[in-house]
Amino acid sequence: VQLVESGGGLVQAGGSLRLSCAASGFTFEDYAIGWFRQAPGKEREVVSGISASRGELYYADSVKGRFTISSDNAKNTVYLQMSSLKPEDTAVYYCAAAAGSNGLIRLWLARSADYWGQGTQVTVSS
């Protein structure tokens, strides 16, 4: 089982990045996928989540209107399009997968997942 994030990098404030989370080794459609981030000295926080099978999406208030999550089941990949980036968005971004009909709830409320990626660094300069 693998979750591999990519697309991170250094960008100026106001810029955009698209993160990708490529999944393998499990039945992608049976899982909810979430994006988390962790900044230095801070707790890991959930950013966004998607359950493509249930047609459900969630966003943290801090990223609503700026980030868009989407899923390409044919490619077993979830994307996080990040726009209007701010310095406070600087963090390591992780994707995670949780199985079951309550997978998205597990990710969102319990920050619990069955699988985690290794993370990709996003740095937003002011």
Side-chain angles (χ1 to χ4, degrees):
V1 173
Q2 273 194 316
L3 291 172
V4 179
E5 302 96 335
S6 62
L10 173 64
V11 64
Q12 288 188 332
S16 299
L17 285 173
R18 189 178 79 158
L19 305 184
S20 299
C21 172
S24 61
F26 60 92
T27 305
F28 186 73
E29 294 80 1
D30 292 342
Y31 284 73
I33 306 294
W35 284 99
F36 294 75
R37 67 186 181 187
Q38 187 166 19
K42 295 188 177 181
E43 291 187 355
R44 186 174 296 186
E45 62 173 338
V46 63
V47 174
S48 182
I50 184 168
S51 173
S53 63
R54 297 171 65 88
E56 295 175 341
L57 305 173
Y58 285 103
Y59 296 99
D61 288 342
S62 58
V63 306
K64 277 181 183 176
R66 301 189 298 121
F67 290 11
T68 302
I69 192 169
S70 61
S71 176
D72 186 337
N73 285 1
K75 296 183 178 180
N76 285 4
T77 299
V78 170
Y79 303 97
L80 186 69
Q81 178 68 48
M82 306 186 297
S83 302
S84 301
L85 284 162
K86 304 175 182 180
E88 51 263 43
D89 294 318
T90 294
V92 178
Y93 283 71
Y94 301 87
C95 66
S101 59
N102 65 341
L104 199 55
I105 293 176
R106 285 176 53 205
L107 291 170
W108 199 254
L109 297 181
R111 303 179 189 175
S112 170
D114 299 301
Y115 309 115
W116 291 88
Q118 292 301 306
T120 185
Q121 176 70 46
V122 171
T123 303
V124 184
S125 64
S126 57

